Amino acid sequence: DVRIETGIREGDEVSVFYDPMISKLVCWSKNRDLCIKKILGSLENYKVIIKIILIDNWTTDKYSIC
């Protein structure tokens, strides 16, 4: 029982003002040890793409993606 909870899809634009947690991996099992094993196995296949955003000034929306 592992699922991904997210509110975005491929192609969506995420602004710099969006909550930094845009996705989470959720796991449920009979006990903690089984749940940890399940989630660690799932994390091996969990694709994470990170873009570094440099913000020139927090009061403006000027930014660059590296």
Side-chain angles (χ1 to χ4, degrees):
D1 298 282
V2 178
R3 70 180 184 274
I4 297 172
E5 292 184 356
T6 184
I8 63 167
R9 295 184 206 130
E10 186 175 340
D12 285 353
E13 185 175 326
V14 179
S15 85
V16 296
F17 303 108
Y18 197 83
D19 186 333
M21 188 179 75
I22 58 174
S23 176
K24 63 183 173 181
L25 187 62
V26 180
C27 182
W28 181 89
S29 194
K30 292 179 184 179
N31 60 54
R32 182 179 170 86
D33 290 335
L34 287 175
C35 191
I36 290 171
K37 286 179 184 178
K38 247 188 220 188
I39 206 157
L40 288 175
S42 296
L43 283 171
E44 289 180 13
N45 297 311
Y46 195 75
K47 185 176 183 180
V48 177
I49 299 172
I50 299 172
K51 290 190 177 186
I52 298 171
I53 300 174
L54 303 173
I55 301 176
D56 296 331
N57 183 339
W58 286 104
T59 60
T60 69
D61 55 359
K62 294 180 183 178
Y63 61 92
S64 57
I65 298 174
C66 302

